[in-house]
Amino acid sequence: MTEQIFPPVPEITIETLRRSLGACLDEVRLSGQQRIVMRRGRPVAGLVTVTEARALWTLDHESAVYSEWRMRERLDTLARRRDAVSRQAEAERRAAFERGVLGR
């Protein structure tokens, strides 16, 4: 038997939500309890407080910003490596030319 890390979230059918949207929203707002909206037995949405929704949006945005920063860092690192390899190859070509190996 597996232990549940999170407590179960109450479910509400989409039909019930349609019939009593205002009451459902008030219940979520006042109690702070989330609801999973079910359609034909499958979860389709979740009802959470505005504070929780803003926290989730902020977390998602920060995650996207961090991912973009990491990708730029990786691209910058790759560009620096390519530049270093190009400079090294150019230095080796110049040294060979000065020794007289190239250009004759």
Side-chain angles (χ1 to χ4, degrees):
M1 197 181 276
T2 61
E3 290 183 34
Q4 287 188 353
I5 297 173
F6 302 106
V9 177
E11 297 175 354
I12 184 170
T13 64
I14 202 155
E15 292 80 19
T16 304
L17 185 62
R18 284 180 182 153
R19 281 194 309 267
S20 56
L21 178 62
C24 292
L25 293 178
D26 285 340
E27 184 180 340
V28 168
R29 180 178 58 89
L30 296 173
S31 71
Q33 208 173 24
Q34 304 108 345
R35 296 282 184 267
I36 295 178
V37 181
M38 305 291 285
R39 176 188 290 156
R40 297 185 189 125
R42 295 186 179 180
V44 293
L47 294 177
V48 297
T49 62
V50 172
T51 305
E52 192 171 347
R54 285 185 179 146
L56 291 169
W57 289 328
T58 301
L59 184 64
D60 184 49
H61 175 71
E62 289 173 354
S63 175
V65 169
Y66 175 75
S67 295
E68 183 178 343
W69 174 81
R70 283 295 294 152
M71 183 56 69
R72 287 184 183 189
E73 284 293 312
R74 287 180 186 147
L75 290 173
D76 288 346
T77 300
L78 291 173
R80 285 192 297 272
R81 286 179 184 166
R82 278 194 310 270
D83 290 344
V85 168
S86 295
R87 285 191 302 272
Q88 180 66 30
E90 181 63 26
E92 289 172 2
R93 281 193 297 273
R94 284 184 183 177
F97 180 76
E98 290 172 359
R99 286 192 314 263
V101 176
L102 294 177
R104 292 186 183 193

